[in-house]
Amino acid sequence: MKKLLPLLFGGLIALTLFVSTGNTAKAAECGCAVTPILGAERNKLVADLINSEEFKNIKKELQKEELSWSGADTIEVIKFNISGEILIAVPFLDANGSGFMYVFYNGKFVYYTPL
């Protein structure tokens, strides 16, 4: 009986961890300004950007300036909760390892900022 009681309470605690809702699912309701987009939705947005002529032109120009693209897995996608706008930020690195973040809005280059 002494071993059964901790087993039952442990099972109850484990069940509540899996059944309860997390805070990340309610990010849009919390009043946060932005929410990161992850998973399949992010991958689709990143693929659309990478295949766009705007991105290809920017990438070609930056390669002439000896900036290298860090790859698709480093791209960040965020959504503004109030307006629903989506920004995609692509990091590029120079030969010294200094980074620059190039931001795209609706597939169009908007601005860049040093990291």
Side-chain angles (χ1 to χ4, degrees):
M1 187 64 162
K2 289 182 181 181
K3 294 183 180 182
L4 183 61
L5 198 55
L7 183 63
L8 287 175
F9 282 124
L12 180 64
I13 291 171
L15 181 64
T16 58
L17 289 174
F18 290 113
V19 174
S20 66
T21 60
N23 292 337
T24 57
K26 296 184 179 186
E29 299 173 8
C30 76
C32 302
V34 295
T35 302
I37 296 178
L38 306 170
E41 184 180 3
R42 176 207 172 270
N43 294 342
K44 183 182 180 312
L45 292 167
V46 168
D48 290 343
L49 176 70
I50 291 172
N51 292 322
S52 71
E53 286 301 316
E54 180 85 11
F55 179 76
K56 290 176 183 177
N57 292 337
I58 294 288
K59 182 179 170 187
K60 184 185 281 187
E61 288 178 27
L62 294 176
Q63 285 176 338
K64 289 178 185 175
E65 297 175 17
E66 298 182 1
L67 290 171
S68 63
W69 175 41
S70 301
D73 57 332
T74 61
I75 295 176
E76 297 179 22
V77 182
I78 61 168
K79 177 181 176 182
F80 288 93
N81 293 328
I82 295 172
S83 64
E85 296 172 335
I86 295 176
L87 293 180
I88 302 175
V90 184
F92 285 86
L93 299 174
D94 65 8
N96 298 329
S98 298
F100 298 90
M101 190 69 79
Y102 284 75
V103 180
F104 294 82
Y105 170 70
N106 288 337
K108 302 292 181 194
F109 172 69
V110 182
Y111 67 93
Y112 77 96
T113 183
L115 294 176

